[in-house]
Amino acid sequence: MRASFHAASITTTESSVRVVDDIADLVALFDGSVNVVRLRRTLSPNLVDESRRASDEVCFRKLFTLAPGESVAHALSQELPGFPLLAADLRLWVEVLAELTGSERVGVRLTRVESAMCPRFHVDRVMLRLVSTYVGRGTEYVANEEVDRRRLGHPAADNARTLLHDSDSVCAATAGDIVFLKGELWPENAGQGAVHRSPAASVESPRLVLTLDPL
């Protein structure tokens, strides 16, 4: 499955965050003023059940790379035996990410998380990253205009109070949402990488998180 995206139709927007409800609207990524695009979606009950079953496996952790194309379905069935709906969902988003970036390979990380992987607000030195949470709390992010970037990475900074102009400006994706985060290596985006962080998780309340990176 290949999606079609056309950058020429994009116009600028005042906010660096775009929230959309249709896959075709992911073309918002080609707007130079946008660095976070969140696609809202609701997971099917069967996919929710399968995701919870995966998150119940204490050692559930999948790391692999895929080359988009006809062999993806077979490769995913090998990597995710017993989880056909998760495999089908990953196939869709691998294809979408490859279409958006022109990448010939995609790095996949699907794992149960019991603590915040990156609890402080930060930016990634990548071109583009797709993050989705199947179980648990979703990724937290803030718009460019709310961030004092001089304090990013400051060891003494309290992220909520000193990094942001308004501590109430933190947004959070919900389970099932697809979040695209432009990194520092996106063309002409140096110094404007999407600012985000991981939410809390625990052994009692784990998250099941998907991360896709074009390679």
Side-chain angles (χ1 to χ4, degrees), residues 13-88:
T13 180
E14 291 184 1
S15 176
S16 66
V17 172
R18 187 76 62 84
V19 180
V20 302
D21 297 299
D22 191 286
I23 194 169
D25 293 328
L26 294 177
V27 290
L29 282 164
F30 297 105
D31 181 335
S33 66
V34 170
N35 66 7
V36 177
V37 177
R38 172 184 165 195
L39 174 66
R40 292 181 293 204
R41 65 172 187 157
T42 301
L43 300 179
S44 70
N46 288 339
L47 181 52
V48 169
D49 290 343
E50 194 171 284
S51 299
R52 288 176 176 164
R53 181 159 55 84
S55 69
D56 286 341
E57 295 187 10
V58 175
C59 297
F60 190 90
R61 181 181 175 86
K62 306 292 182 179
L63 298 170
F64 51 93
T65 63
L66 292 172
E70 295 180 359
S71 63
V72 168
H74 176 72
L76 283 169
S77 69
Q78 298 296 306
E79 294 287 351
L80 295 167
F83 298 97
L85 299 180
L86 275 171

Side-chain angles (χ1 to χ4, degrees), residues 163-175:
L163 179 64
L164 308 180
H165 301 308
D166 180 356
S167 59
D168 293 328
S169 64
V170 179
C171 301
T174 58

Side-chain angles (χ1 to χ4, degrees), residues 86 116 119 147 154 185:
L86 275 171
V147 180
H154 194 288
L185 300 185

